[in-house]
Amino acid sequence: MMTNEMTIQIRVQDFARGIEWYKTLLKKGPDFIPHEGFAEWELIPNCWLQVAEGTPATGSGPLRLGVKHIETERKRLMEDLGVEYLEIQSRPEVPVKWATFSDPWGNLIGLFQSNTNED
């Protein structure tokens, strides 16, 4: 299989609030709103996050987003989105730090930082 694009869909029960929450998380508005109750962000070239109005799926995720400075993003998410304390995890044999949280609808989201990104 050769893949050249990817999408992942997250459902939220309150679409207007969901748009605002994800705008804050991603630091930008949607790139595409094809119809009511559906918005898309291009996270990196050809990789799309879809936020749709509906009942969140249980047992899926987390969607993990790579960041350059996980501690800075943790602080921002706690301040700007009211995310509860995020414990940053690491293991000596794994070259990545990570933290997992959920949006207000229970969708699991994670951050990760490659240890090679440390300044």
Side-chain angles (χ1 to χ4, degrees), residues 18-109:
I19 290 293
E20 292 305 313
W21 198 90
Y22 279 92
K23 280 170 61 174
T24 302
L25 173 69
L26 300 171
K27 298 183 191 176
K28 69 175 197 163
D31 294 297
F32 184 51
I33 302 176
H35 55 80
E36 189 174 324
F38 194 88
E40 294 186 276
W41 283 259
E42 188 173 28
L43 302 178
I44 58 175
N46 299 318
C47 179
W48 295 83
L49 171 64
Q50 301 172 331
V51 174
E53 187 169 30
T55 302
T58 57
S60 64
L63 162 66
R64 292 208 186 271
L65 304 170
V67 297
K68 290 185 178 183
H69 303 285
I70 197 167
E71 289 87 0
T72 301
E73 286 301 315
R74 171 179 60 185
K75 182 178 180 202
R76 184 182 72 83
L77 296 176
M78 292 171 60
E79 291 173 358
D80 294 354
L81 290 173
V83 171
E84 291 185 24
Y85 181 76
L86 292 173
E87 183 177 351
I88 296 173
Q89 306 286 320
S90 66
R91 295 176 69 158
E93 68 275 16
V94 179
V96 173
K97 297 178 187 177
W98 68 93
T100 303
F101 60 101
S102 65
D103 70 11
W105 303 274
N107 295 299
L108 292 177
I109 301 171

